Amino acid sequence: MTARVSGRAPAAPSAILGIILASYFMVLLDNSVIFTGLPSIRSGLDLSPAALSWVQDGYTLGFGGLLLLAARAGDIVGRRRLFRIGLALFGAASLLVGLAPAGWWMIASRAVQGIGAAIVAPISLALITTYFDGEARNRAIAWYAATAGIGASLGLLVGGALTEWISWRAAFLVNVPIAVALIAWSGTVLVETPRQTGQFDVIGALAATLGMGAVIFGIIESADAGWGSARVQTALVVGVVLLVALIVHEGRVRQPILPLRLFRSRERSGAYTARLLYLGAMIGFFYFTTQLLQDGFGFSPLQAGLGFLPMTLVNFAVALAVPRLSARLSNGILLATGTALTLAGMAWLSRIGALDAYLADVALPMILVGAGQGLAFGPLTNAGVAGVDSADAGAASGLVNTAHQLGMALGLGILVAISANVGGALDRPAAVTDHVGAALTGSAILLVLALAVVLTVIVPAARHRAAGPGTSSDKHTQHPVTDPKVEA
């Protein structure tokens, strides 16, 4: 069924999905392309180690801090409009990053880039819930999940290639024509979603933005200052107080930034928790395995990017098979199997030693990690938006992406702290492998916790939802007159 909105029908499902995936891929590519380019950025802009860390941290702060606000704003002002604004902001910031003459310029531009990503990422997922229903939605989310895995790992390869062959600047400038093309394309393909009337929740917006920003800032600072730092503890306390105030406030307003009804579903709440833990483990995998390949095995940036191909290829193939598998297996079984496979690969890789070989001791566990991520991401995303009413699609998508970003920030802070004093000076392969092994052991522990949440919360809740009608808050309501649904 196709509905008319704003006087015209939506375009073909393949074109709509193409825009959604291309925009999400651009954001994810930029999020990981930075890793292989950091050494060149440091030397090119003469950055100190602390300033270099803020090249990534500034992006994470802008991204994570604005997610809840941007996601809900799309529900209120129209997702197509805000989606195009986010693309424009991301493209313009990419241009500024690529032209950066100094470190302060680079860091500020990366923060603006993060704000653009905070708009594009949740709205791209909300657009799936807007335009697709039923099995078509499951297939679209499977492609979305495959894009998540491919974007993260392919970014390392693209970043390494562009840094080695051209310049680290090229890795950011390539976003500019992509963003321009997506803005033009979305104008002809997407139709505007209905706006919600009423007052904008200013207090909720401020509490969500400042609270998330303070928590993420505290986590980021802990990597250098330590968890005992007064600055870190003050930021975390302020952030938690603001987020608690947000929850209290949101229960009293008619159009909240963060609808508390989203947490009535144990399946969705479990999915947010499991995603936070899972992504905390996966950021450790990418961050520390990149160091392992370059500093432990002596790979160049390009070779390090190529070194992730076993994971990338398997991840992509498995993720594309998820829609067929979901016809025979439940979402919970796929998610539990994927998390368990990721855990097995991470635990294997954490045993890396100085005299080990890439093929036997890195590539093979990478295959398990790739297969696990390919299986887990789609079902995990499905669980995060399960039964969401279309009016709350943006807010639910924002929570999925918030758990994603908060998990990455928190996970990296924890894993850096775990591995900080392991291996000593990282000037020998043995020291590097000890350092990386400690961090990946921490990643494996996070995956154990994620698997526990999947088995004890998400799987039982999904079975309960499938067995009966559930509450009204857990049922997806389709509005044939106002929702631009399309069939795939």
Side-chain angles (χ1 to χ4, degrees), residues 62-391:
F63 197 166
L66 273 292
L67 271 169
L68 290 176
L69 171 59
R72 194 55 170 164
D75 293 338
I76 296 171
V77 305
R79 292 173 195 150
R80 174 181 177 268
R81 178 178 295 102
L82 196 60
F83 180 68
R84 301 182 78 198
I85 291 172
L87 288 172
L89 195 60
F90 190 89
S94 297
L95 176 63
L96 293 175
V97 171
L99 299 176
W104 67 267
W105 180 305
M106 174 77 167
I107 294 168
S109 300
R110 284 283 287 167
V112 176
Q113 209 178 24
I115 295 172
I119 297 172
V120 173
I123 292 183
S124 64
L125 178 56
L127 287 172
I128 289 180
T129 65
T130 299
Y131 285 99
F132 298 94
D133 230 340
E135 285 304 311
R137 178 186 291 185
N138 291 337
R139 288 192 293 271
I141 288 180
W143 277 98
Y144 185 89
T147 302
I150 290 294
S153 50
L154 193 59
L156 298 170
L157 175 59
V158 172
L162 291 175
T163 299
E164 191 162 314
W165 294 340
I166 306 175
S167 165
W168 62 264
R169 297 179 184 275
F172 297 98
L173 293 174
V174 72
N175 290 328
V176 179
I178 295 174
V180 170
L182 286 173
I183 292 169
W185 191 16
S186 62
T188 62
V189 171
L190 301 179
V191 294
E192 188 57 274
T193 57
R195 303 189 202 181
Q196 296 182 20
T197 58
Q199 293 183 338
F200 186 71
D201 181 16
V202 177
I203 295 176
L206 290 173
T209 302
L210 297 176
M212 283 297 302
V215 169
I216 291 175
F217 176 81
I219 294 169
I220 288 170
E221 281 293 286
S222 70
D224 288 327
W227 294 101
S229 164
R231 185 168 66 253
V232 170
Q233 293 180 354
T234 299
L236 292 175
V237 169
V238 169
V240 169
V241 169
L242 286 171
L243 292 178
V244 170
L246 169 68
I247 293 172
V248 173
H249 172 75
E250 296 302 89
R252 302 174 178 174
V253 294
R254 292 185 58 188
Q255 288 185 310
I257 288 290
L258 179 63
L260 299 184
R261 57 184 171 269
L262 292 174
F263 296 100
R264 292 174 189 164
S265 164
R266 292 180 71 243
E267 183 179 4
R268 288 196 297 266
S269 296
Y272 305 143
T273 304
R275 195 178 192 95
L276 184 148
L277 294 166
Y278 192 94
L279 266 297
M282 290 308 299
I283 187 64
F285 168 77
F286 287 112
Y287 185 83
F288 289 98
T289 305
T290 302
Q291 294 181 37
L292 172 68
L293 295 177
Q294 294 192 58
D295 299 331
F297 286 84
F299 285 15
S300 69
L302 176 58
Q303 289 172 329
L306 290 170
F308 281 88
L309 276 181
M311 178 201 173
T312 304
L313 297 176
V314 172
N315 175 28
F316 187 66
V318 172
L320 293 186
V322 166
R324 295 192 299 273
L325 293 172
S326 63
R328 292 176 290 176
L329 300 171
S330 70
N331 196 70
I333 290 175
L334 291 175
L335 177 53
T337 303
T339 307
L341 283 174
T342 310
L343 170 58
M346 195 75 72
W348 183 357
L349 187 57
S350 71
R351 297 171 59 87
I352 191 72
L355 300 179
D356 288 346
Y358 165 77
L359 286 177
D361 301 292
V362 178
L364 290 180
M366 269 189 178
I367 290 174
L368 283 179
V369 173
Q373 182 171 285
L375 274 179
F377 255 38
L380 193 56
T381 304
N382 264 322
V385 295
V388 172
D389 187 273
S390 59

Side-chain angles (χ1 to χ4, degrees), residues 390-418:
S390 59
D392 290 331
S397 302
L399 278 173
V400 168
N401 280 278
T402 297
H404 195 109
Q405 289 301 313
L406 187 58
M408 290 173 63
L410 180 59
L412 190 57
I414 291 172
L415 298 175
V416 166
I418 288 174

